[in-house]
Amino acid sequence: MMNNKKSIFTIIMMVCLPLIILANTDTTSRSGKISLNIRFLESKPGDTLTVKLDDVFHILNGDPGKTYTATRGADGYYRFNIPVTLDHGYFTLSKARILKAGINGDLIRMCKPLFWEKSDSIDFKISFKDSPTGQNGICEFTGTGAEKYNASYKISTLQIHQSIWNHQDSLYRSWNGNILAYPEFDSATQYTLMRLDVLNTYVHKISNFSYQVIKADILYADPNVLGKIKTWAMNNGGKNLDQNQRNKIIKHFGNSFDYPNNYAIDPLALAYSLNYLIHLNRKLQAACFLNQEKYDLEWMYKTLKGYQVNTEVRDIMIMMLLTRITFNSENPAPVYNDALGLIKNPAYVKIISALLKGVPGVKFGEFVLHDADGRNRSISEFKGKVLLIDIWYTGCGACADFYQNVLSAVEEELKENPKVKFISISIDRDKESWSKSVQGGKYTSLDAVNLYTDGKMDKHPIITSNSILSYPSLILLDQEGKIRFFNSENLRTKSTLLKAIYALL
């Protein structure tokens, strides 16, 4: 077991320190560039690739960063010369998804986000074929700065013996998330140690900073341990424990995953480790359930707000909290308003302002969409009825799961009730795909009012103005068109959704 452990909030603070250092480092005045010469083996003349540069917050939320495109040259290469002002960051490589012959869809990532350093000049060879998830390219890198890319790729594709997987799986298969029953839940696995061994072969080939970032990414690649702990807490796993046992769990969990001290990770590098930041969010959620026995927006917001840290650090942590977690909060308006008065970053202010449009009591905006017959439809025509709006897209597993296991049953129970209407809105790019999904009954039913965003996808005003960040998104409106619940947890199960609807009838 690891020692010298700190509380969860000390760990969260450790991501703040590097960002404070970063904020006070004069990097914006030192311009440079990164050069990418990409050979995409399956491409054809005239094809286009897209590179996006993102900061950590936006890449975790899937928001677009600075976008650069290049068309395949006569020599078969896509050439990018991208100006940068920071010393390091992340870029993603994407191509248009092939929907069918002659038709391209939305962009699909060809590999995981890649950590760059200023002055990188690399030749990047990739073999890639479309898949539901993307990120399965076979990559080779040469040139200045290439070894850190090769290290990351070799680590991510490391093959290990099945017996090691079996041993690792056996540790968690019967464990229900109670850390008293498995005190070594936060120990580094054999697979993690093997990946660190691979990284150590590159220690003299890459910069110390990139070494530390990759190291943090390895250590904080969560094998769903935090998910099991949160699920155990969510399912009242501690209901038979006395207060001393509960306190022991909370304390032990708060002191867990002390990798920075045990593995000597550079604090500045932690701010650039995507896995580390994802880990912090997951751990904060689990801690909230262990302490509060439910999602508690106010508890988590107050916890983060209480840190005496650099303003930029505080803002990014709060924004990750507000945009990455769905809360069972009946009225998040006080938190949003407080954050709006606290945060000055214009981009963040815009997001919070959109979130405020979805708080209870606010009248839902008027938007015109089209049904399968091409007719204009709007929310106002359903005035006097309780409306449940379900926003989804073809290929969204969570959307299909919600409809099949929750919404279809709710629709069936209320299908004879004229006071309730179900509005199904798809953000599919391709109208034909949407039409097939409506007919197929996997995501919606023919009894719902099925609407389409005309191929505008997540750029349609109903999506952008309401800051819809995840799918399915659920909005419950009363008879006056006012929001009662917006993506709250009580819209996610049959029993709670029915209760919320019946309360308005």
Side-chain angles (χ1 to χ4, degrees):
M1 286 293 293
M2 297 176 288
N3 48 33
N4 298 323
K5 300 194 168 187
K6 295 179 172 59
S7 70
I8 179 176
F9 307 121
T10 303
I11 293 178
I12 291 178
M13 285 286 286
M14 297 187 72
V15 76
C16 298
L17 174 60
L19 286 171
I20 295 171
I21 297 172
L22 180 64
N24 289 283
T25 301
D26 183 16
T27 58
T28 57
S29 61
R30 299 193 300 271
S31 61
K33 70 175 182 177
I34 58 173
S35 298
L36 309 174
N37 301 315
I38 301 174
R39 187 171 182 84
F40 172 27
L41 299 184
E42 287 80 16
S43 70
K44 302 181 296 297
D47 284 353
T48 298
L49 294 183
T50 299
V51 169
K52 291 183 179 180
L53 265 63
D54 297 271
D55 61 36
V56 171
F57 168 69
H58 287 95
I59 204 169
L60 288 174
N61 282 281
D63 299 330
K66 294 182 179 179
T67 301
Y68 304 85
T69 59
T71 302
R72 182 174 128 161
D75 60 356
Y77 278 89
Y78 300 81
R79 302 188 185 280
F80 296 85
N81 289 292
I82 303 173
V84 295
T85 54
L86 297 178
D87 289 334
H88 23 246
Y90 281 90
F91 74 82
T92 57
L93 176 67
S94 304
K95 65 178 288 291
R97 185 192 298 274
I98 299 175
L99 298 176
K100 59 183 180 181
I103 298 179
N104 290 337
D106 55 324
L107 293 177
I108 180 173
R109 281 185 183 176
M110 301 171 70
C111 55
K112 70 173 187 176
L114 297 171
F115 177 74
W116 58 263
E117 294 176 291
K118 188 172 62 178
S119 299
D120 279 354
S121 181
I122 63 170
D123 285 353
F124 177 1
K125 184 168 72 173
I126 181 168
S127 174
F128 174 87
K129 295 181 180 179
D130 284 2
S131 73
T133 58
Q135 301 188 26
N136 63 347
I138 299 173
C139 308
E140 294 179 15
F141 304 89
T142 57
T144 303
E147 289 301 333
K148 63 177 168 294
Y149 301 100
N150 286 322
S152 293
Y153 179 72
K154 187 172 183 179
I155 290 165
S156 67
T157 57
L158 177 65
Q159 300 294 316
I160 64 173
H161 195 274
Q162 186 63 41
S163 62
I164 295 177
W165 280 121
N166 293 340
H167 173 71
Q168 182 168 317
D169 288 344
S170 68
L171 297 177
Y172 305 115
R173 191 176 298 119
S174 61
W175 179 52
N176 64 1
N178 179 1
I179 63 178
L180 295 180
Y182 182 41
E184 296 186 358
F185 72 94
D186 60 341
S187 298
T189 65
Q190 185 175 358
Y191 178 51
T192 296
L193 296 177
M194 291 176 64
R195 297 175 82 199
L196 288 174
D197 286 342
V198 172
L199 175 62
N200 286 333
T201 65
Y202 287 86
V203 66
H204 298 302
K205 302 177 183 178
I206 62 180
S207 70
N208 181 61
F209 190 76
S210 60
Y211 172 83
Q212 295 290 335
V213 171
I214 298 171
K215 185 177 183 179
D217 274 341
I218 292 173
L219 289 167
Y220 287 98
D222 181 11
N224 201 34
V225 172
L226 294 175
K228 296 197 76 167
I229 295 172
K230 185 177 79 170
T231 299
W232 177 79
M234 288 174 64
N235 294 331
N236 297 315
K239 62 184 177 182
N240 295 324
L241 302 178
D242 61 33
Q243 192 58 47
N244 287 334
Q245 290 176 307
R246 289 188 60 81
N247 290 340
K248 184 177 180 181
I249 287 177
I250 292 171
K251 181 178 180 180
H252 182 31
F253 182 69
N255 291 336
S256 65
F257 299 100
D258 190 19
Y259 298 146
N261 280 300
N262 287 274
Y263 290 91
I265 300 176
D266 181 348
L268 180 59
L270 290 173
Y272 286 88
S273 167
L274 296 177
N275 284 347
Y276 180 66
L277 296 171
I278 291 170
H279 168 88
L280 288 178
N281 276 274
R282 290 174 176 170
K283 187 168 184 180
L284 184 59
Q285 291 179 58
C288 186
F289 270 97
L290 288 172
N291 283 273
Q292 302 297 106
E293 301 181 353
K294 64 178 182 178
Y295 268 129
D296 190 328
L297 172 61
E298 292 77 11
W299 184 86
M300 287 189 274
Y301 176 72
K302 183 179 180 180
T303 299
L304 292 179
K305 185 182 173 183
Y307 293 126
Q308 301 300 312
V309 295
N310 174 275
T311 300
E312 184 179 358
V313 173
R314 179 203 63 199
D315 290 356
I316 193 171
M317 294 301 295
I318 290 175
M319 291 306 298
M320 289 177 68
L321 175 69
L322 298 184
T323 59
R324 288 183 57 82
I325 303 175
T326 299
F327 300 103
N328 186 14
S329 178
E330 292 193 2
N331 185 19
V335 169
Y336 294 162
N337 279 311
D338 191 85
L340 194 61
L342 192 69
I343 293 175
K344 306 304 179 186
N345 183 310
Y348 296 168
V349 168
K350 183 177 180 180
I351 293 173
I352 298 171
S353 297
L355 290 172
L356 275 166
K357 295 180 181 179
V359 299
V362 173
K363 190 173 180 63
F364 193 68
E366 187 64 18
F367 301 95
V368 176
L369 298 105
H370 294 106
D371 63 15
D373 297 321
R375 294 177 299 177
N376 289 345
R377 308 296 296 269
S378 62
I379 298 299
S380 60
E381 69 181 90
F382 302 104
K383 188 175 182 179
K385 299 181 184 297
V386 173
L387 302 183
L388 179 72
I389 301 174
D390 173 30
I391 306 176
W392 58 276
Y393 64 89
T394 299
C396 169
C399 301
D401 181 73
F402 173 73
Y403 174 73
Q404 294 171 38
N405 296 305
V406 178
L407 187 52
S408 60
V410 173
E411 285 186 1
E412 179 66 23
E413 179 164 333
L414 295 170
K415 66 180 181 180
E416 302 298 332
N417 193 321
K419 298 180 180 180
V420 182
K421 274 288 184 181
F422 295 92
I423 311 295
S424 170
I425 301 175
S426 167
I427 64 165
D428 285 350
R429 174 192 289 271
D430 182 56
K431 186 175 181 179
E432 183 178 347
S433 296
W434 166 63
S435 182
K436 287 181 178 179
S437 292
V438 171
Q439 296 293 328
K442 184 177 180 180
Y443 301 93
T444 183
S445 73
L446 294 174
D447 293 328
V449 179
N450 287 288
L451 306 177
Y452 176 57
T453 54
D454 297 326
K456 296 178 181 178
M457 301 169 54
D458 58 356
K459 301 300 187 291
H460 191 280
I462 197 172
I463 306 300
T464 57
S465 65
N466 288 292
S467 196
I468 303 296
L469 301 170
S470 62
Y471 302 90
S473 273
L474 307 167
I475 308 165
L476 183 64
L477 307 183
D478 64 17
Q479 291 90 336
E480 296 181 358
K482 293 181 178 179
I483 295 169
R484 290 306 169 194
F485 296 103
F486 195 120
N487 271 340
S488 61
E489 285 295 307
N490 61 348
L491 302 182
R492 304 277 171 174
T493 68
K494 177 185 175 182
S495 60
T496 56
L497 177 53
L498 282 170
K499 181 180 179 181
I501 293 174
Y502 279 126
L504 296 176
L505 296 178

